[in-house]
Amino acid sequence: MSQEFDLIVIGAGSGGIASANRAASYGATVALVAEGPLGGTCVNVGCVPKKLLWNSANFAASQELAHSYGFAGERWQFDWGLQKQRRDAYIERLHGRYTEGLRTNGVQLFRGHGRLAGSGQVQVDDTLLRAPKILLATGGSPIWPEIPGAELGIDSDGFFALTERPQRVSIVGAGYIAVEIAGIFRALGSDVSLVMRRRHFLHNFEPMLREHLLEMMQLQGINLLPQRQVTQLTRESDGLRLHFAQGDYLGGQDAVLWAIGRRPQTGDLGLASVGLETDPEGYIAVDRYQNTAVPGIYAVGDITRAPALTPVAIAAGRRLADRLFGGQSERYLDTSLTPTVVFSHPPIATVGMTELEARERYGDSEVRCYQSRFVPLLRAFAAEPERTAMKLITVGQEEKIVGLHAIGDGVDELLQGFAVALRMGARKRDFDDTIAIHPTSAEEFVTMR
């Protein structure tokens, strides 16, 4: 016995839920297949719990800053276990909101593993669902190294399962997840080592950002180990030991966290039953309308090559529903100016091209950059103040702004408005003609010379 729908969505992460709810709002009958907890990576082992821990880390880091302002008193004691309890309770409330939202919108939720079972068909355990349109939105999962002893470590999912803080911890990786977790651990009191294969982290980011963050992390006391290839993880009498291909090792670790990337969860979706293939890394190719190579099957989120960001998956899912059921035949997502924040310590905010990308596209003669590096007023009394750095990248005689990058206190909150300005085609002169808000860090963007 089968059940018929207008749309079946496999995957209940941010992109899947957003698309299902939007399609249902247009009157479509929608089935949502969820194997794991509602909200996917972002809500359960990503953005939400990460930001809550980052907030805790910021409170810890602010204590020394408060002393410079004249506050006195002993250092607060952070209860990792209590924070986890409250974090888990908050996430459980989000699950309830998702469930209620789906119910209100008329989306029918099916619990279990969904996989394609031929044209227009999805099998969910013993239930067969049918629909002319099927959306794949199953997200990604952490990559583990294929080395002896890898199982002695944890991944980013395991990070959120910790009930207490390890005193000595190594993070292996060089992406945004690695630097975020390193900053959180250090601010909350752990001795942190960051192990990287290359000379630096955040390889695809504007160099100014990673160089500034590297300097700040060194000042914070994070042990940076570049150009290290881990070959083995062992447990010794003094703790975990990372062995490197270079012949040296790092021992005495209470925890080792693998943050070496994520892979798309496409391995058990029944793609062969409809003739759909992935690339060698498991990603599904889509056009700008989220169409796969098979008519009637679509994909959004981390199983595609789109930026692996929650707002991207949400926006793509909603635009797809607008196109399929909302009468907006040309609706699609343009990711060319996707704003991104890295919740490192200090945070990074970036939108648009790096300087290198701009020079490669437009030529050296067309590119002009403006930079600023300063001590924000918040840090005025600090003995060794963390600086803020900002950069604008412009092209052409009109100096259209094609890249905006910042690192420092509060830049995560100021980026959204500037991203709107870039989307609207702002020029350097538009920034110059905008009255500054003083004293703020944001004013630097409209006063650069």
Side-chain angles (χ1 to χ4, degrees):
M1 185 176 181
S2 64
Q3 300 184 49
E4 305 281 341
F5 296 89
D6 296 320
L7 172 69
I8 301 170
V9 180
I10 305 178
S14 300
I17 289 177
S19 185
N21 280 329
R22 180 63 63 88
S25 73
Y26 290 123
T29 56
V30 182
L32 178 66
V33 181
E35 184 173 15
L38 295 180
T41 297
C42 177
V43 168
N44 298 284
V45 287
C47 324
V48 173
K50 180 266 302 289
K51 185 67 181 290
L52 292 172
L53 273 167
W54 186 79
N55 288 342
S56 297
N58 274 1
F59 283 125
S62 70
Q63 292 179 76
E64 183 176 344
L65 190 59
H67 288 161
S68 74
Y69 273 78
F71 288 88
E74 295 184 1
R75 185 176 179 85
W76 296 336
Q77 298 300 309
F78 177 65
D79 189 331
W80 185 291
L82 179 60
Q83 205 267 13
K84 183 181 186 305
Q85 291 177 20
R86 292 178 176 173
R87 181 175 7 118
D88 291 346
Y90 178 77
I91 292 171
E92 190 59 35
R93 291 197 296 274
L94 292 182
H95 293 161
R97 293 178 191 173
Y98 277 125
T99 300
E100 179 61 22
L102 293 169
R103 186 195 66 77
T104 300
N105 289 322
V107 176
Q108 190 166 342
L109 181 62
F110 291 85
R111 291 287 189 176
H113 178 72
R115 62 194 317 273
L116 298 169
S119 179
Q121 299 184 130
V122 172
Q123 190 75 41
V124 186
D125 298 330
D126 296 330
T127 303
L128 182 65
L129 310 178
R130 298 180 185 273
K133 298 177 175 61
I134 298 172
L135 172 61
L136 307 177
T138 48
S141 59
I143 296 173
W144 283 64
E146 296 180 0
I147 61 171
E151 71 281 357
L152 298 174
I154 61 174
D155 58 19
S156 56
D157 292 359
F159 168 67
F160 296 111
L162 290 173
T163 57
E164 59 184 25
R165 176 183 59 82
Q167 180 58 42
R168 303 162 299 175
V169 58
S170 289
I171 295 98
V172 181
Y176 74 92
I177 294 175
V179 299
E180 288 178 338
I181 293 177
I184 289 171
F185 270 133
R186 184 69 194 99
L188 292 176
S190 294
D191 299 321
V192 179
S193 295
L194 182 61
V195 181
M196 303 170 284
R197 293 184 63 178
R198 294 189 174 99
R199 290 181 179 273
H200 53 252
F201 44 64
L202 300 180
H203 178 67
N204 293 322
F205 283 69
E206 167 61 39
M208 179 272 288
L209 297 173
R210 63 172 182 251
E211 290 164 5
H212 190 91
L213 180 59
L214 186 146
E215 179 185 340
M216 295 300 101
M217 292 177 81
Q218 288 176 323
L219 287 175
Q220 293 161 15
I222 293 175
N223 180 30
L224 300 175
L225 296 173
Q227 295 184 294
R228 296 295 203 285
Q229 175 65 47
V230 181
T231 58
Q232 186 178 6
L233 180 61
T234 60
R235 187 179 298 280
E236 309 295 336
S237 59
D238 64 342
L240 297 173
R241 178 179 295 182
L242 285 158
H243 301 260
F244 304 127
Q246 292 72 18
D248 55 344
Y249 66 85
L250 176 64
Q253 302 299 292
D254 299 316
V256 171
L257 190 148
W258 309 117
I260 57 175
R262 296 177 65 84
R263 61 165 54 94
Q265 296 188 127
T266 54
D268 190 23
L269 276 179
L271 301 181
S273 71
V274 295
L276 185 58
E277 298 181 348
T278 67
D279 69 15
E281 295 181 55
Y283 291 94
I284 297 174
V286 294
D287 63 14
R288 67 181 184 177
Y289 297 105
Q290 310 304 141
N291 296 311
T292 70
V294 177
I297 297 182
Y298 315 90
V300 300
D302 295 357
I303 60 172
T304 74
R305 290 286 184 178
L309 299 167
T310 295
V312 171
I314 291 172
R318 287 175 176 167
R319 283 161 173 74
L320 175 65
D322 291 341
R323 183 172 69 84
L324 296 181
F325 301 104
Q328 303 174 53
S329 61
E330 293 302 313
R331 186 78 159 143
Y332 68 92
L333 178 64
D334 176 9
T335 61
S336 60
L337 281 173
T338 300
T340 303
V341 166
V342 179
F343 288 101
S344 47
H345 283 79
I348 285 171
T350 178
V351 59
M353 296 182 182
T354 65
E355 180 178 346
L356 178 60
E357 289 170 341
R359 293 188 183 280
E360 288 178 344
R361 176 174 296 187
Y362 297 103
D364 290 343
S365 63
E366 291 293 301
V367 176
R368 184 174 182 184
C369 298
Y370 298 83
Q371 295 191 66
S372 179
R373 180 179 163 94
F374 58 94
V375 176
L377 193 60
L378 178 66
R379 307 260 173 190
F381 301 143
E384 295 185 3
E386 285 190 0
R387 295 177 179 270
T388 293
M390 295 178 171
K391 185 172 185 177
L392 289 176
I393 299 165
T394 72
V395 298
Q397 289 187 342
E398 289 196 343
E399 292 191 311
K400 180 180 178 181
I401 301 172
V402 297
L404 182 149
H405 312 279
I407 177 170
D409 296 317
V411 300
D412 50 309
E413 292 292 348
L414 67 80
L415 179 65
Q416 192 73 74
F418 285 109
V420 173
L422 264 65
R423 172 68 64 179
M424 297 176 70
R427 306 160 300 167
K428 177 66 167 59
R429 180 174 178 177
D430 296 318
F431 275 35
D432 294 342
D433 289 344
T434 301
I435 301 298
I437 304 171
H438 183 74
T440 67
S441 293
E443 69 178 304
E444 290 290 323
F445 275 131
V446 299
T447 58
M448 284 186 186
R449 289 291 182 270

